[in-house]
């Protein structure tokens, strides 16, 4: 028992998100860095639920899977309404 074994460290999803907008921006940037069309890839994920549409680069796939897809869609629609129609959508939190 004279040998001391080192304890392995395992971390999953070291990136924590503060809000949906920040997460989408982070995933978008990771997709661009890898040369993907981020809009196509995010839409593919939202429509199919298949996380392989999102790159694993910079833990973007892990990050986006922490958020329910309906919450992502809600935030995207809210942002669209706010920017194109000027104002806060009805029922907004």
């Amino acid at each position: 028992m004279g040998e001391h074994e080192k304890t392995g460290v395992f971390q999953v999803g070291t990136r924590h998100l503060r809000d949906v907008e920040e997460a989408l921006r982070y995933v978008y940037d990771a997709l661009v860095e890898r040369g993907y069309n981020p809009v196509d890839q995010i839409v593919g994920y939202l429509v199919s639920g298949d996380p392989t549409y999102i790159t694993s680069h910079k833990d973007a796939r892990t990050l986006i899977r922490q958020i329910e897809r309906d919450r992502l869609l809600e935030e995207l629609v809210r942002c669209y309404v706010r920017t194109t129609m000027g104002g806060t959508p009805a029922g907004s939190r």
Side-chain angles (χ1 to χ4, degrees):
M1 282 181 78
E3 282 186 45
H4 295 290
E5 293 183 30
K6 290 187 177 183
T7 302
V9 176
F10 182 78
Q11 293 179 327
V12 177
T14 56
R15 174 95 177 136
H16 298 288
L17 55 116
R18 283 184 279 170
D19 60 22
V20 175
E21 182 181 348
E22 178 188 2
L24 283 169
R25 197 176 307 270
Y26 187 85
V27 169
Y28 185 98
D29 291 343
L31 287 162
V32 168
E33 285 179 20
R34 283 297 191 210
Y36 295 106
N37 178 321
V39 173
D40 288 349
Q41 298 306 114
I42 293 169
V43 168
Y45 170 68
L46 291 172
V47 170
S48 70
D50 183 354
T52 61
Y53 279 101
I54 305 301
T55 183
S56 59
H57 176 62
K58 295 170 66 174
D59 287 329
R61 186 179 300 155
T62 301
L63 180 66
I64 203 164
R65 291 179 76 193
Q66 294 175 10
I67 308 166
E68 295 291 327
R69 285 185 302 148
D70 61 341
R71 179 74 177 103
L72 291 168
L73 284 168
E74 179 183 334
E75 185 63 29
L76 289 168
V77 170
R78 182 175 282 114
C79 182
Y80 175 81
V81 168
R82 188 172 49 242
T83 57
T84 62
M85 299 178 189
T88 305
S92 178
R93 295 182 203 151

